[in-house]
Amino acid sequence: MTAGHDTAVLVVEDADAMPPAEVAGWLRERLDGWSEQDVRLVEVVAGELFANARRHGAPPYVLELLLNRRGESLVVSARDRTVGRLRPWRPAAGLLLVGALSARWGITSRAGTTTVWAELLFED
């Protein structure tokens, strides 16, 4: 991914497909040429969001990376099909980590899906 409003999307249709190591490999391929520090930041945040989607939702799972025009920020999001909850939603340790590493983050629920996203900022 390079500056110019690039988008990369990974769709996982089956709950047993794409183990975490394969998701990390997909991320690394998309971030080829980025600094190791920036790659690690994206890996941690994307990994947490994707793991939460798999833990709390149902397939298909959609991991999306959206780079802004100047390459200064990247929005990472993970979407899943919403399943019924018995308890209210609460952020746990993984999302506290996402919150600490991102400029901002949030949750969007609509039409049977839940999307958790985080915006990451990068310095030149």
Side-chain angles (χ1 to χ4, degrees):
M1 296 183 73
T2 58
H5 223 69
D6 285 335
T7 303
V9 179
L10 172 67
V11 179
V12 178
E13 297 285 345
D14 184 333
D16 296 326
M18 283 299 279
E22 286 184 37
V23 174
W26 179 86
L27 281 167
R28 284 199 166 267
E29 286 177 15
R30 294 326 158 283
L31 303 174
D32 186 44
W34 287 43
S35 75
E36 187 62 27
Q37 179 179 343
D38 290 346
V39 170
R40 293 268 185 214
L41 173 63
V42 175
E43 281 182 326
V44 168
V45 171
E48 288 295 335
L49 296 182
F50 198 69
N52 278 346
R54 290 178 106 162
R55 188 175 304 116
H56 300 292
Y61 307 109
V62 180
L63 181 61
E64 183 176 18
L65 308 175
L66 176 61
L67 184 66
N68 81 341
R69 289 200 177 275
R70 289 181 233 112
E72 298 166 349
S73 70
L74 177 75
V75 175
V76 179
S77 65
R79 183 175 67 240
D80 60 71
R81 191 169 48 81
T82 305
V83 292
R85 289 186 168 282
L86 299 175
R87 293 184 223 131
W89 184 91
R90 289 187 188 178
L95 288 178
L96 293 174
L97 179 62
V98 168
L101 295 174
S102 62
R104 59 192 181 112
W105 71 279
I107 302 164
T108 306
S109 295
R110 62 170 72 108
T113 65
T114 299
T115 303
V116 182
W117 58 271
E119 181 180 19
L120 307 176
L121 301 179
F122 303 98
E123 297 179 15
D124 290 337

